[in-house]
Amino acid sequence: MLSVLRLRRLVRQVPLQTSFIFLFLLCILSVFLSSYFLYAVKQKLEPSLAAGRSADDLYVTPSRPLPFLSGVGGTLSSDGSRTDPVVLVFVESPYSQLGQEIVAILESARFRYRTEISPGKGDMPTLTDGQRGRFVLIVYENILKYVNMDAWNRELLDRYCIEFGVGMIGFFKANEKSLLSAQLKGFPLFLHSNLGLKDCTVNPKSPLLHVTRVFSGPLPGDNWTVFQSNHSTYEPVLLAKTRSAESTGLMHTSVVQDLGLHDGIQRVLFGHNLSFWLHKLVFVDALSFLTAKRLSLSLERFILVDIDDIFVGKEGTRMKVADVKALVETQNELRRSIPDFTFNLGFSGKFFHDHSIPTHLGYAVAPHHSGVYPVHIQLYEAWKRVWDIRVTSTEEYPHLKPARFRRGFIHRGIRVSVCVTKAVLSRWGIFVAIANNTLYGSKLSIFLLCQKSLGY
Ligand SMILES: *[C@@H]1O[C@H](CO)[C@@H](O)[C@H](O)[C@H]1NC(C)=O
Ligand SMILES: *[C@@H]1O[C@H](CO)[C@@H](O)[C@H](O)[C@H]1NC(C)=O
Ligand SMILES: *[C@@H]1O[C@H](CO)[C@@H](O)[C@H](O)[C@H]1NC(C)=O
Ligand SMILES: *[C@@H]1O[C@H](CO)[C@@H](O)[C@H](O)[C@H]1NC(C)=O
């Protein structure tokens, strides 16, 4: 009887509770609606600005109405969601060396791109798809192709860059025909070419530094271009001295950043190609900076340095006492920035048995990496059971070539790292480090040190 009463009281209370809940929901809804409208109206009144740009710069009026502007309503922003994460690369030809190197970097980092032969007259690719921008960044293998473009295409491209907050990277490579000193057409920027440079330093205040760290060292080649300007839009990224005898010790800018204060477009210009290893890092940082980190790589790198066949190298190439000492010294130096960093030294099993060498097992490489990929299950099982192998490496996953597409994987609890040989290392320089390796943790600084000591 008592329970029936209770039940009845409960039933009577329900409509009251329901109406409270209803009121509560109504409150939430009205708060949500009012904040939404306030925010939306505010957004319309204040178009968001890209970093480092003034509103005036963004409102450069085109002399002719451009097709992609109709219906956009004049709201300018670089919030990123309005462009596809694709880099548009203007190359000199399908086989040009620098063009291929640019593409290799984009591919190593798994960034999407599209190449176009630098247009002559009237064949600029379609830049927009409805109200979306199709490209997040423009790269010119030869910046002169950009500055000398016909007026219509130039305006189309500049307007696109301003409208969608898209930046630009360009290379200036002097040749025998280029003037020793010239102004970059249409810009308050002067170029001095065919210089030999020395003592390269990174401008520690450059806003685009991310992977690149302060460095100082030599520059290869003697066909450098330096940039000179007194406009506040230009900020040096790399600086160097001239190598000539009458050098005054004055620092010249060999990579310059245009903050967009001149015409509303942010740019990074290189006074040489990408053969200098530091340029590859600055290029990666420029990609990240100019796309507001949409095309960015984390600072974490997983690298294993495996020195193979330590005892059976060819006569004359085997390690001597001095080499061993240098190796230990380097290892200690690396340990200062990477805790527990240890070189892996490989040797054949026969040596292991004959000399009872003390080892840390857990890592093994099959002869020629065979059986690792494509996977030979028996090898994995035996490794796990007999030696408790946890790590190995392969050159084949998913394919041998091109090396920049190689990846690591984990199979049956054994981690398989991407193996790159020294030949590949020197070819792809820093970018082997960006392949997504799945091994022991370490930081990029180690790779920089490797690069330095290997002389890239
Ligand atoms: C870069 O320039 C140097 C010196 O002019 C040249 O030897 C090298 O082949 C060039 N590399 C690329 C990728 O263009
Ligand atoms: C560098 O410039 C000099 C002078 O213009 C020229 O003779 C030489 O061939 C150039 N070297 C390269 C590698 O382009
Ligand atoms: C900048 O350089 C130009 C050309 O050399 C010169 O005419 C101008 O007066 C300079 N401006 C400043 C602020 O130094
Ligand atoms: C690298 O690998 C990790 C773990 O497998 C994954 O989460 C991450 O997305 C990968 N990064 C790239 C750039 O492929």
Side-chain angles (χ1 to χ4, degrees):
M1 187 64 200
L2 198 68
S3 59
V4 170
L5 264 179
R6 248 194 221 145
L7 192 73
R8 219 180 272 159
R9 210 183 302 151
L10 208 71
V11 170
R12 242 186 286 136
Q13 278 170 359
V14 165
L16 195 65
Q17 275 179 357
T18 316
S19 44
F20 269 126
I21 288 170
F22 181 70
L23 269 174
F24 179 67
L25 284 178
L26 210 66
C27 279
I28 298 268
L29 190 71
S30 70
V31 166
F32 176 75
L33 279 177
S34 54
S35 65
Y36 172 77
F37 276 112
L38 272 175
Y39 182 69
V41 169
K42 201 161 174 261
Q43 280 247 309
K44 266 197 187 144
L45 291 175
E46 306 173 338
S48 57
L49 300 177
R53 275 177 207 178
S54 72
D56 289 343
D57 283 325
L58 288 168
Y59 284 104
V60 180
T61 27
S63 53
R64 280 171 290 186
L66 298 174
F68 61 80
L69 278 179
S70 53
V72 170
T75 330
L76 306 172
S77 77
S78 64
D79 57 18
S81 55
R82 298 198 302 129
T83 51
D84 295 330
V86 180
V87 180
L88 176 59
V89 186
F90 286 107
V91 294
E92 291 290 274
S93 81
Y95 314 104
S96 56
Q97 225 187 333
L98 178 55
Q100 287 186 23
E101 208 156 336
I102 292 166
V103 162
I105 291 174
L106 296 172
E107 286 179 343
S108 302
R110 272 88 175 153
F111 296 151
R112 286 165 61 202
Y113 69 92
R114 176 169 157 189
T115 53
E116 287 283 334
I117 311 294
S118 289
K121 280 207 159 42
D123 48 1
M124 176 67 65
T126 314
L127 298 172
T128 52
D129 180 8
Q131 301 201 353
R132 278 189 76 72
R134 297 176 65 212
F135 305 104
V136 69
L137 185 75
I138 314 289
V139 178
Y140 268 93
E141 176 182 352
N142 179 358
I143 194 67
L144 293 183
K145 284 282 160 64
Y146 165 71
V147 298
N148 293 325
M149 208 171 4
D150 66 281
W152 169 258
N153 278 324
R154 171 67 183 276
E155 196 168 87
L156 197 75
L157 186 60
D158 281 3
R159 192 70 197 132
Y160 172 78
C161 288
I162 292 165
E163 171 73 14
F164 290 90
V166 165
M168 193 178 287
I169 297 176
F171 295 85
F172 184 85
K173 186 61 175 57
N175 57 36
E176 297 76 36
K177 280 176 276 165
S178 39
L179 295 169
L180 292 185
S181 291
Q183 183 171 3
L184 194 63
K185 192 172 145 194
F187 293 91
L189 185 66
F190 295 85
L191 281 68
H192 305 281
S193 296
N194 287 335
L195 297 171
L197 298 179
K198 62 175 183 183
D199 300 344
C200 173
T201 55
V202 177
N203 172 16
K205 286 188 292 227
S206 169
L208 73 76
L209 303 184
H210 179 58
V211 172
T212 313
R213 291 281 178 264
V214 173
F215 161 87
S216 165
L219 291 138
D222 50 12
N223 294 58
W224 286 77
T225 298
V226 297
F227 303 94
Q228 199 183 4
S229 178
N230 55 11
H231 195 291
S232 58
T233 193
Y234 296 108
E235 179 87 20
V237 182
L238 295 188
L239 298 144
K241 292 179 199 157
T242 55
R243 236 187 269 149
S244 60
E246 69 272 22
S247 170
T248 54
L250 198 72
M251 298 304 279
H252 299 279
T253 304
S254 63
V255 177
V256 73
Q257 180 175 5
D258 176 348
L259 301 172
L261 305 175
H262 170 64
D263 61 359
I265 302 170
Q266 299 195 59
R267 301 180 179 85
V268 175
L269 303 179
F270 290 79
H272 204 266
N273 60 27
L274 285 168
S275 61
F276 179 39
W277 67 271
L278 197 58
H279 279 191
K280 293 178 182 167
L281 292 187
V282 174
F283 181 75
V284 166
D285 283 352
L287 290 173
S288 169
F289 184 87
L290 295 174
T291 62
K293 290 214 183 329
R294 285 177 75 203
L295 301 188
S296 195
L297 297 162
S298 89
L299 291 179
E300 214 168 24
R301 296 287 174 275
F302 302 96
I303 295 158
L304 171 74
V305 181
D306 184 354
I307 305 168
D308 217 356
D309 287 337
I310 198 94
F311 301 124
V312 295
K314 255 193 276 160
E315 210 67 69
T317 67
R318 292 185 196 164
M319 291 181 83
K320 301 209 172 65
V321 174
D323 299 317
V324 175
K325 281 184 175 156
L327 198 63
V328 172
E329 221 171 84
T330 309
Q331 183 168 283
N332 288 338
E333 194 185 326
L334 290 172
R335 278 182 180 173
R336 265 186 257 136
S337 40
I338 310 146
D340 300 329
F341 175 85
T342 307
F343 285 111
N344 254 39
L345 306 185
F347 49 84
S348 69
K350 188 169 180 302
F351 260 89
F352 172 61
H353 288 298
D354 292 356
H355 301 270
S356 47
I357 298 163
T359 56
H360 295 290
L361 283 176
Y363 178 80
V365 179
H368 303 286
H369 306 273
S370 50
V372 176
Y373 188 83
V375 162
H376 187 65
I377 292 165
Q378 288 85 343
L379 173 71
Y380 280 76
E381 276 172 358
W383 262 349
K384 197 97 209 143
R385 191 148 15 103
V386 181
W387 282 339
D388 192 25
I389 295 299
R390 294 182 301 276
V391 181
T392 185
S393 58
T394 180
E395 297 175 320
E396 307 274 347
Y397 182 73
H399 301 289
L400 182 64
K401 283 181 177 171
R404 62 182 175 277
F405 288 134
R406 292 180 199 168
R407 276 170 178 262
F409 63 93
I410 299 174
H411 183 69
R412 301 215 160 192
I414 293 182
R415 287 155 172 260
V416 182
S417 75
V418 179
C419 173
V420 286
T421 58
K422 215 177 110 210
V424 175
L425 250 172
S426 58
R427 217 166 124 221
W428 299 115
I430 193 79
F431 294 96
V432 293
I434 289 164
N436 203 357
N437 223 329
T438 52
L439 257 190
Y440 305 128
S442 61
K443 292 273 185 307
L444 185 78
S445 49
I446 167 221
F447 209 76
L448 275 180
L449 285 162
C450 289
Q451 295 267 327
K452 252 170 84 179
S453 62
L454 292 170
Y456 297 125

